[in-house]
Amino acid sequence: MSSPALVSQPEDSMPATAVAEAGPSPAAVVRPTTPPSFGTLALRWYRLNRAGLRATAIGVISLLVFLLVWHLLTTYRVVFFVRFTNVPSPLAVYDSFIKAIHDPKFLMHILLSCRRIFIGFSLAAIIGVPLGLIMGRFKLVHEVIFPVAEVLRPIPAIAWVPMAIMLWPTNEQSIVYITFLGSFFPILVNTLHGMSLVDPVLVRAAQCLGARERSIFREVYFPASLPHIFTGLTVGMGVAWVSLIAAEMISGQYGIGYFTWEAYSLVQYADIALGMIAIGVLGLGSSLLIRGAGQLVMPWRST
Amino acid sequence: MSETIATTPKGHIEVKNFSLAYETIEGAVQAVTDTQIHVQPGEFVSIVGPSGCGKSTLLNAVAGFLKSTTGIVTVDGERVNGPSAERGMVFQQYSLFPWKTVRENVEFGLKMRGMPRSQRERAARTLLGLAGLEAFEKHYPEKLSGGMKQRVGIVRALATGPKVLLLDEPFGALDAQTRVIMQQILTNMWQRLKISVLFVTHDIDEAIFLSDRVYCMTARPGSIKAEIPIPLERPRQQSMMMSSEFLALRRGLMSLIREESLKAMGGEINDLGMQGLNIELHGHSLADVI
């Protein structure tokens, strides 16, 4: 190995740098002149993030307007098609929130709901993702399972409540089962979809680099399907919450859904809104967790 | 590096009495018939032909992705019956794994062979250095230009030290300048590694510039129409493309392919039939103008 460069220069002498092409060389972005002052840096940062700052500012304003409208509608007890006579004001909800966070019972409701989501959703992911991968890879498994899945899939998880109560010995188990069912099908279907979109050229590339069936599965099919798997997990998490709340309202004794329904029965109107907001925040938090996990697992997709 | 750079030429490809047919509802459709080609150890051979003539089919059969209907494909006397790391392949669509960094892509073949991590990392770095890509080892393929992607593709295919390198229109999607640089890089790697290359292209200039020999295929069903040795001396320079020798070879190949392309476009085009279309042929036949 005498010369380190594989490119011997043709006689019309291309400069050696031309070989590197006009790629995204990191050095080319910032010119190494004098170090810029804090002021110019701040200005540059502002210019680069202007769109993001604008969106944040508008978002905050829009939330404040929402709270204001809510406040006005409830303090003046507006009746205009819908009746705001009994709807709690934002301040009343804030008061009951302060009371609730000192109340161990409220926290228990939330923790129980989170536990049900965790168990039901995890089971759905642990079963749904591998099943989807295997169905996508082995025709026979697909042919056997797909028809059954297609028949069961359109049944909303809530419709399973009576059947679930019969199937499972405890109430807790039937609620977890309904949460599981809600998230299972979106996860399965999206994983299958991801498998069907795997570029066959990548499989062939792996094969002629010496990869065998198991390696191709692990190194090609699985990572190639990951974006769709995560779409399935995100959708599945949303449906899991929908199913959980419905199940808790119908058959539960504890949980944030039960809390919200109980507040209506006990005429504690501020707690209804508190329950709803808690459900919203929990749903948002869990989908953010999944998005974060997705970015962690798929670093090649974040810029 | 002892594993990736060999000194003795290897990889004798032989395709004998080869034919390949697809089953359709109307019966078997012949893609390639009665084809013989061979590539000597260390030789650079191209296949050109009109589009749809089955040149990629032939290459895929050598790679082991397609089974011949009749005839056999052997490499160094061993029958090909499936893809293997002994036959490296470079695809037109780059086909880098988007979820692996440049270095991980290059390491892939070595990983499949069970080489320990530190060892294969070192090997991949050395190879990337040879291709001028060391600065990009941690980048994901998406961030690279087409030319860089294909350089990674070539390095990846060579990393396991294959006996032969198969390339399926590898530079087809690149712009003209990048293409010239890539041809130079490929020539250099080939001369260094002394492995056999089978190169499919529709670009006649590229085929002549790179090859020791060029096979020209007929329109579908494809078979070998002609075999043209390229006696141009090496190392080859860009300026040779203007030499009379080069141009003569180009003219010869051009006319062979034109004949076949016209056939592929639906038989003979009748010059008389074009008269009503108000195309001025200046006394030439339509085949010459096209």
Side-chain angles (χ1 to χ4, degrees):
Chain A
M1 258 179 283
S2 47
S3 89
L6 271 164
V7 183
S8 75
Q9 298 306 318
E11 87 271 44
D12 47 25
S13 98
M14 231 158 330
T17 47
V19 176
E21 289 158 47
S25 148
V29 182
V30 184
R31 266 168 246 120
T33 47
T34 50
S37 72
F38 178 77
T40 41
L41 271 181
L43 195 71
R44 212 178 278 165
W45 182 88
Y46 168 72
R47 253 193 237 133
L48 286 170
N49 295 286
R50 195 156 34 184
L53 288 170
R54 191 187 120 110
T56 313
I58 292 178
V60 168
I61 292 168
S62 137
L63 280 172
L64 288 175
V65 169
F66 175 79
L67 281 175
L68 183 70
V69 171
W70 176 11
H71 176 75
L72 291 176
L73 285 172
T74 48
T75 38
Y76 293 103
R77 300 181 183 280
V78 175
V79 177
F80 181 71
F81 293 106
V82 274
R83 299 156 297 150
F84 285 92
T85 16
N86 288 325
V87 175
S89 71
L91 287 172
V93 175
Y94 179 74
D95 283 342
S96 73
F97 168 68
I98 295 298
K99 240 181 277 157
I101 54 168
H102 295 297
D103 178 5
K105 237 181 131 188
F106 178 74
L107 294 179
M108 185 204 62
H109 283 306
I110 288 190
L111 282 179
L112 253 171
S113 287
C114 288
R115 205 184 76 157
R116 287 164 178 164
I117 284 285
F118 180 76
I119 300 172
F121 177 79
S122 301
L123 281 175
I126 289 168
I127 298 172
V129 172
L131 186 64
L133 292 172
I134 291 167
M135 279 170 77
R137 192 74 192 97
F138 303 104
K139 231 175 159 183
L140 181 66
V141 183
H142 188 278
E143 286 161 348
V144 170
I145 294 177
F146 192 69
V148 182
E150 280 300 282
V151 169
L152 294 181
R153 194 164 64 96
I155 303 171
I158 309 153
W160 274 90
V161 170
M163 183 65 83
I165 293 170
M166 288 196 297
L167 278 172
W168 296 91
T170 71
N171 217 5
E172 188 64 24
Q173 286 165 335
S174 58
I175 292 176
V176 169
Y177 175 68
I178 284 160
T179 314
F180 161 83
L181 275 179
S183 45
F184 177 74
F185 287 108
I187 294 173
L188 178 71
V189 168
N190 279 284
T191 306
L192 257 179
H193 183 59
M195 284 295 282
S196 70
L197 294 179
V198 174
D199 186 352
V201 174
L202 293 180
V203 177
R204 288 203 277 159
Q207 281 174 332
C208 56
L209 289 164
R212 306 207 174 279
E213 186 61 39
R214 275 178 65 150
S215 309
I216 293 172
F217 202 86
R218 194 181 60 236
E219 305 269 359
V220 181
Y221 280 105
F222 180 61
S225 307
L226 267 178
H228 286 95
I229 291 176
F230 269 90
T231 307
L233 293 177
T234 311
V235 176
M237 183 55 98
V239 184
W241 276 104
V242 172
S243 317
L244 173 79
I245 299 303
E248 284 179 345
M249 281 185 170
I250 295 171
S251 71
Q253 282 158 353
Y254 302 103
I256 192 68
Y258 173 75
F259 171 87
T260 309
W261 189 252
E262 189 196 31
Y264 175 72
S265 322
L266 300 177
V267 206
Q268 283 166 345
Y269 294 142
D271 281 351
I272 295 179
L274 178 65
M276 287 168 66
I277 294 171
I279 293 164
V281 169
L282 289 171
L284 182 70
S286 44
S287 65
L288 282 179
L289 271 179
I290 291 177
R291 199 191 299 173
Q295 277 169 356
L296 218 65
V297 179
M298 301 181 287
W300 68 93
R301 296 198 26 117
S302 45
T303 39
Chain B
M1 291 310 301
S2 54
E3 286 166 278
T4 46
I5 294 187
T7 44
T8 46
K10 54 185 176 177
H12 179 226
I13 305 172
E14 193 128 29
V15 177
K16 278 188 204 146
N17 307 321
F18 179 88
S19 78
L20 199 146
Y22 295 103
E23 285 300 326
T24 67
I25 192 98
E26 279 121 23
V29 171
Q30 206 70 27
V32 180
T33 63
D34 190 31
T35 292
Q36 351 271 336
I37 64 167
H38 66 95
V39 180
Q40 296 302 325
E43 198 182 18
F44 198 122
V45 174
S46 291
I47 305 175
V48 296
S51 47
C53 72
K55 49 191 191 295
S56 291
T57 307
L58 191 54
L59 194 76
N60 277 314
V62 177
F65 295 124
L66 297 173
K67 294 246 176 300
S68 62
T69 312
T70 64
I72 57 162
V73 179
T74 60
V75 173
D76 286 346
E78 271 176 57
R79 193 168 179 159
V80 169
N81 46 21
S84 128
E86 287 193 341
R87 279 159 277 127
M89 183 134 177
V90 179
F91 304 85
Q92 182 179 2
Q93 312 92 316
Y94 312 129
S95 75
L96 301 179
F97 304 119
W99 46 87
K100 289 181 181 290
T101 62
V102 165
R103 198 191 64 215
E104 286 166 345
N105 263 284
V106 173
E107 276 177 37
F108 186 83
L110 302 172
K111 186 178 179 184
M112 290 303 106
R113 197 199 275 167
M115 186 186 277
R117 180 186 291 266
S118 61
Q119 213 178 328
R120 63 175 198 252
E121 270 184 24
R122 210 169 43 234
R125 275 213 192 90
T126 313
L127 283 166
L128 285 169
L130 289 173
L133 287 163
E134 63 272 69
F136 301 95
E137 61 164 325
K138 293 201 174 88
H139 287 233
Y140 286 103
E142 196 198 32
K143 306 266 172 71
L144 304 183
S145 69
M148 283 197 270
K149 279 185 198 164
Q150 202 54 296
R151 253 189 291 166
V152 177
I154 295 173
V155 171
R156 182 179 69 175
L158 290 172
T160 50
K163 290 178 173 176
V164 300
L165 185 62
L166 311 170
L167 301 102
D168 190 359
E169 303 204 21
F171 310 142
L174 302 177
D175 61 77
Q177 286 91 335
T178 312
R179 187 181 264 245
V180 170
I181 298 167
M182 293 299 295
Q183 290 167 356
Q184 202 74 41
I185 290 173
L186 179 63
T187 309
N188 275 286
M189 288 193 173
W190 165 69
Q191 279 174 334
R192 223 168 235 271
L193 298 170
K194 303 197 187 333
I195 64 172
S196 325
V197 173
L198 189 54
F199 190 96
V200 163
T201 180
H202 60 255
D203 182 334
I204 295 171
D205 289 333
E206 183 171 75
I208 300 172
F209 184 70
L210 291 172
S211 311
D212 295 324
R213 250 176 334 118
V214 176
Y215 285 109
C216 178
M217 284 184 81
T218 64
R220 193 177 196 129
S223 62
I224 301 300
K225 184 184 176 76
E227 176 190 341
I228 299 114
I230 309 293
L232 300 173
E233 65 186 46
R234 293 189 187 269
R236 292 185 186 161
Q237 312 288 1
Q238 222 42 51
S239 61
M240 280 184 182
M241 296 180 98
M242 294 297 146
S243 70
S244 56
E245 217 180 344
F246 190 98
L247 292 174
L249 286 164
R250 186 172 194 272
R251 254 196 308 279
L253 258 170
M254 209 56 137
S255 62
L256 284 170
I257 291 191
R258 187 190 288 134
E259 267 175 50
E260 293 305 321
S261 298
L262 286 174
K263 266 190 229 164
M265 282 165 71
E268 311 295 320
I269 297 177
N270 188 348
D271 279 3
L272 290 172
M274 300 291 282
Q275 277 174 355
L277 292 176
N278 198 21
I279 295 174
E280 184 54 68
L281 294 174
H282 298 289
H284 296 287
S285 81
L286 182 68
D288 285 337
V289 177
I290 294 174

